[in-house]
C-alpha cells in the first residue's frame, strides 16, 4: 500500500494485523459516541497495553499449522483469533472518516465467551510440534509456508514462535479479564 506523504512523495505503508482487548462496555460507549457524532467519530483509542500488532503472522501461522496437520477445530480457533467474527457488531468502527482499518477487511470482533473458547483452544496447540513438521532449512521452510516467510530475518521458526506465544498470552489475558477482542488490518 502506498500513500503520498506531505511533500507529495510516495511512501510504502505496511498493512498489518491489529488486535485490541476491550470491554463490552467500551464497545457500547464507542458505538454510542459514533451514533451521537455528526461524522460518526467513535473515539476508538484502546489502551496501548491492550493492543497487539501481529504483523503478517496470521497467514503464516495458519499455513504452518496446516502443514503440520493441526485439526480443523484448532485451525478454526487460530483463524477466529486473528479474523474475529461478524456476530458482534463493530461496523461503526469501519465508517469513513474514522475507520480504524481502512486498508483491509472490515473490523471484526469476538465477544468474551468466544474469546474464552478461542483462548482455551490456542492453549491446546503445540507450536513446537508444528515447527518440528517444517523443513530444517530456513529457506525451504519459508518457501513451504509462503506469505513472505522465506525473507524473515532469523527464519520463520523464531518469527512464528514469538508471534504465536504473544497471541496466546494476549488471549489468555483477555479471557481472564472477560474482554472482547477486536481485529482489523492497518
Amino acid at each position: 500500500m502506498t500513500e503520498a506523504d506531505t511533500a507529495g512523495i510516495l511512501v510504502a505503508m505496511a498493512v498489518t494485523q491489529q488486535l485490541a482487548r476491550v470491554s463490552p462496555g467500551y464497545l457500547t460507549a464507542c458505538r454510542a459516541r459514533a451514533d451521537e457524532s455528526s461524522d460518526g467519530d467513535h473515539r476508538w483509542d484502546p489502551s496501548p497495553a491492550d493492543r497487539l500488532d501481529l504483523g503478517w503472522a496470521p497467514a503464516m501461522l495458519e499455513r504452518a499449522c496446516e502443514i503440520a496437520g493441526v485439526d480443523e477445530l484448532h485451525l478454526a480457533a487460530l483463524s477466529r483469533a486473528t479474523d474475529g467474527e461478524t456476530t458482534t457488531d463493530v461496523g461503526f468502527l469501519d465508517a469513513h472518516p474514522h475507520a480504524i482499518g481502512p486498508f483491509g477487511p472490515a473490523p471484526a470482533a469476538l465477544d468474551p465467551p468466544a474469546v474464552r473458547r478461542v483462548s482455551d483452544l490456542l492453549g491446546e496447540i503445540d507450536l513446537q510440534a508444528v515447527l518440528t513438521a517444517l523443513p530444517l532449512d530456513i529457506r525451504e521452510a519459508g518457501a513451504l509456508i509462503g506469505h513472505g516467510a522465506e525473507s524473515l530475518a532469523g527464519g520463520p521458526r523464531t518469527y512464528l514462535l514469538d508471534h504465536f506465544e504473544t497471541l496466546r498470552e494476549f488471549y489468555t489475558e483477555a479471557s481472564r479479564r472477560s474482554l472482547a477482542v477486536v481485529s482489523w488490518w492497518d
Side-chain angles (χ1 to χ4, degrees):
M1 183 71 44
T2 60
E3 180 177 293
D5 69 8
T6 56
I9 300 170
L10 286 180
V11 293
M13 296 173 50
V15 178
T16 59
Q17 177 75 67
Q18 306 292 312
L19 301 174
R21 297 180 290 225
V22 296
S23 71
Y26 182 77
L27 283 176
T28 299
C30 285
R31 185 179 296 108
R33 286 191 295 264
D35 289 344
E36 294 165 1
S37 171
S38 61
D39 66 351
D41 187 358
H42 42 69
R43 297 194 306 256
W44 173 259
D45 190 24
S47 163
D50 285 319
R51 293 184 186 189
L52 176 61
D53 183 341
L54 272 180
W56 303 284
M60 292 182 221
L61 284 167
E62 286 185 40
R63 179 65 182 130
C65 286
E66 289 169 357
I67 292 166
V70 170
D71 65 81
E72 289 299 317
L73 177 67
H74 291 88
L75 278 173
L78 179 58
S79 180
R80 286 177 71 204
T82 59
D83 294 341
E85 295 177 332
T86 57
T87 55
T88 300
D89 177 23
V90 291
F92 63 93
L93 294 173
D94 197 33
H96 182 74
H98 302 287
I100 65 170
F103 304 113
L110 294 176
D111 63 15
V115 166
R116 189 172 315 108
R117 180 70 177 140
V118 165
S119 177
D120 290 346
L121 290 168
L122 290 177
E124 295 172 3
I125 296 174
D126 181 356
L127 200 69
Q128 289 295 344
V130 167
L131 298 176
T132 300
L134 296 175
L136 292 176
D137 180 80
I138 290 173
R139 288 192 180 118
E140 192 178 328
L144 187 60
I145 293 168
H147 306 286
E150 60 278 358
S151 62
L152 293 169
R157 279 187 173 75
T158 301
Y159 181 85
L160 294 177
L161 184 60
D162 290 348
H163 282 78
F164 183 76
E165 290 300 325
T166 301
L167 178 65
R168 187 173 10 213
E169 290 167 9
F170 185 85
Y171 266 87
T172 298
E173 181 65 12
S175 176
R176 185 187 72 72
R177 293 167 50 200
S178 297
L179 298 176
V181 172
V182 176
S183 62
W184 71 99
W185 286 86
D186 190 19

